[in-house]
């Protein structure tokens, strides 16, 4: 990524113009053409630096429920359990972490009832101890924008 | 609080949660797919941004590749009557991107969660220690991720 790419990424992390010709508007800001914006974005996406370009929805505003869950999974069951958990489109993030509860994942579903159903299914299919279900009761901060750090 | 979206609005959500097309008039393409006039699509998207239905509209970047080398999930065991005060103070730290109150559970006594981002694991430890001193809570755990098993954006209205 060169300096223009970095500025371009910073610009469209939150400020994507919702207009008929968004790439022309971005180009105007950066002093490059609409075509160059599109070509550069194609290349940056190809490189994997941009995961996706689109909308992030607030699950609550769409009527969905969400939660953070953790499971204690012994090493010999890890691979199989992760496959079971990841098979749900409702699971968006899943990480191994250094704790007795070593598998941490998020679940988003149309209702709390559906979340409970999914967790019980996972416990049964994977044959693991009860999963802890930690839905947020208060949101103090949700910041999705972290500034791009220039790489040397 | 839930609200009813029309079938066309649900289709618009499905289009917007995919990649915005890299063509000169991307919203025209989306409007055609949804079967709505493009002006209506643009108004609706701007309205959803304004009312928070769309939390963010733009590029999602890979943070780890762009300079944030480490992140730690910090979990704090805060007396219930202090949880909101401590959560709000942790949330003010620049290094904290997300901060929530959650229930305690069997084998899990921590009730306030804060994601800490730093250039290294050491920096995350340093930040957590500083925050602990600042809020006066000694009982906390730092959980680092050793493997990422899955990281995707949610697909709504596809079930």
């Amino acid at each position: 990524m060169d300096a223009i790419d970095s500025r371009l990424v910073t610009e469209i992390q939150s400020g994507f113009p919702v207009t008929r010709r968004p790439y022309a508007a971005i180009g105007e800001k950066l002093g490059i053409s609409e075509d160059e914006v599109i070509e550069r974005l194609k290349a940056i996406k190809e490189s994997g630096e941009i995961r996706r370009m689109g909308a992030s929805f607030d699950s609550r505003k769409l009527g969905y429920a969400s939660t953070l869950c953790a499971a204690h999974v012994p090493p010999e069951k890890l691979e199989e359990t992760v496959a079971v958990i990841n098979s749900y489109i409702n699971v968006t993030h899943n990480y191994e972490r250094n704790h007795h509860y070593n598998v941490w994942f998020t679940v988003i579903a149309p209702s709390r009832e559906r979340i409970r159903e999914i967790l019980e299914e996972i416990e049964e299919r994977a044959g693991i101890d009860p999963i802890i279900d930690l839905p947020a009761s208060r949101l103090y901060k949700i910041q999705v924008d972290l500034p791009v750090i220039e790489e040397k | 609080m839930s609200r009813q979206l029309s079938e066309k609005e649900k289709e618009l959500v499905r289009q917007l949660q995919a990649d915005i097309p890299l063509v000169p008039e991307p919203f025209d393409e989306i409007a055609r797919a949804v079967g709505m006039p493009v002006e209506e699509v643009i108004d609706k998207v701007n309205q959803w941004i304004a009312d928070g239905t769309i939390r963010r509209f733009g590029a999602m970047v890979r943070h780890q590749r762009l300079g944030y080398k480490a992140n730690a999930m910090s979990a704090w065991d805060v007396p219930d009557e202090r949880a909101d005060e401590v959560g709000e103070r942790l949330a003010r730290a620049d290094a904290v991107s997300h901060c929530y109150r959650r229930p305690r559970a069997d084998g899990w006594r921590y009730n306030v969660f804060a994601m800490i981002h730093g250039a290294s694991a050491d920096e995350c430890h340093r930040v957590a220690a500083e925050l602990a001193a600042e809020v006066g809570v000694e009982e906390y755990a730092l959980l680092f991720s050793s493997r990422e098993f899955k990281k995707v954006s949610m697909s709504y209205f596809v079930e």
Side-chain angles (χ1 to χ4, degrees):
Chain A
M1 294 223 304
D2 64 12
I4 294 179
D5 282 346
S6 289
R7 284 179 60 203
L8 185 53
V9 171
T10 304
E11 190 64 37
I12 62 165
Q13 266 186 274
S14 57
F16 191 94
V18 183
T19 58
R20 288 295 283 277
R21 305 281 291 271
Y23 305 113
I26 296 163
E28 204 161 309
K29 256 190 161 168
L30 300 185
I32 57 177
S33 71
E34 180 182 44
D35 283 349
E36 191 179 344
V37 170
I38 291 173
E39 289 316 310
R40 281 177 179 271
L41 286 176
K42 280 183 182 164
I44 298 169
K45 279 186 70 176
E46 198 115 314
S47 76
E49 298 295 351
I50 290 180
R51 265 195 307 139
R52 186 172 69 87
M53 213 171 60
S56 279
F57 287 91
D58 182 333
S59 54
R60 287 158 304 151
K61 289 260 169 74
L62 296 179
Y64 277 65
S66 66
T67 189
L68 174 69
C69 298
H72 167 62
V73 183
E76 67 276 9
K77 279 197 162 176
L78 191 59
E79 198 180 333
E80 183 201 337
T81 303
V82 166
V84 169
I85 294 171
N86 287 359
S87 71
Y88 292 87
I89 64 152
N90 310 81
V91 173
T92 56
H93 295 65
N94 187 4
Y95 296 94
E96 178 177 57
R97 295 192 183 276
N98 55 319
H99 189 268
H100 170 79
Y101 286 111
N102 54 333
V103 175
W104 289 78
F105 58 99
T106 55
V107 184
I108 302 176
S111 66
R112 274 295 302 169
E113 292 68 31
R114 179 66 187 134
I115 288 177
R116 290 306 318 165
E117 226 173 73
I118 290 169
L119 296 182
E120 279 160 29
E121 262 176 45
I122 292 172
E123 287 165 2
E124 198 180 305
R125 286 173 64 195
I128 52 168
D129 291 346
I131 292 167
I132 56 172
D133 171 16
L134 309 171
S137 58
R138 288 288 311 273
L139 280 58
Y140 304 118
K141 186 179 198 176
I142 307 174
Q143 177 196 298
V144 274
D145 279 20
L146 288 170
V148 172
I149 295 177
E150 299 272 347
E151 287 197 287
K152 294 279 166 2
Chain B
M1 198 173 55
S2 142
R3 68 183 159 113
Q4 261 336 97
L5 296 186
S6 71
E7 286 310 311
K8 278 196 177 172
E9 286 175 324
K10 287 181 185 174
E11 183 54 35
L12 182 55
V13 169
R14 285 190 282 267
Q15 292 291 326
L16 296 170
Q17 70 194 0
D19 265 310
I20 302 302
L22 281 166
V23 298
E25 298 183 330
F27 294 104
D28 288 60
E29 204 164 290
I30 290 169
R32 276 192 294 277
V34 177
M36 259 186 189
V38 65
E39 293 77 14
E40 216 175 290
V41 164
I42 286 174
D43 286 351
K44 180 67 72 183
V45 173
N46 281 317
Q47 181 200 319
W48 281 349
I49 291 170
D51 71 17
T53 301
I54 292 178
R55 217 148 59 182
R56 192 159 74 97
F57 195 85
M60 327 282 154
V61 303
R62 294 194 193 277
H63 284 142
Q64 296 219 334
R65 290 202 190 173
L66 288 170
Y68 290 93
K69 303 289 184 231
N71 66 77
M73 187 178 82
S74 67
W76 305 73
D77 180 2
V78 184
D80 288 341
E81 66 278 10
R82 286 199 62 209
D84 287 343
E85 170 225 330
V86 168
E88 276 155 23
R89 284 169 74 178
L90 294 175
R92 278 203 289 273
D94 287 337
V96 170
S97 64
H98 295 69
C99 190
Y100 301 95
R101 182 170 179 179
R102 299 183 183 278
R104 304 172 202 272
D106 195 24
W108 184 259
R109 62 196 162 102
Y110 305 101
N111 56 339
V112 176
F113 287 62
M115 281 307 297
I116 296 175
H117 297 260
S120 65
D122 280 353
E123 193 183 306
C124 293
H125 279 288
R126 220 170 23 247
V127 168
E130 283 168 17
L131 290 172
E134 191 192 316
V135 299
V137 175
E138 280 172 19
E139 293 303 317
Y140 68 93
L142 274 191
L143 278 69
F144 289 90
S145 61
S146 40
R147 266 190 286 177
E148 178 183 293
F149 296 131
K150 189 174 187 182
K151 186 178 182 186
V152 297
S153 298
M154 179 59 185
S155 298
Y156 297 97
F157 306 120
V158 297
E159 270 181 294

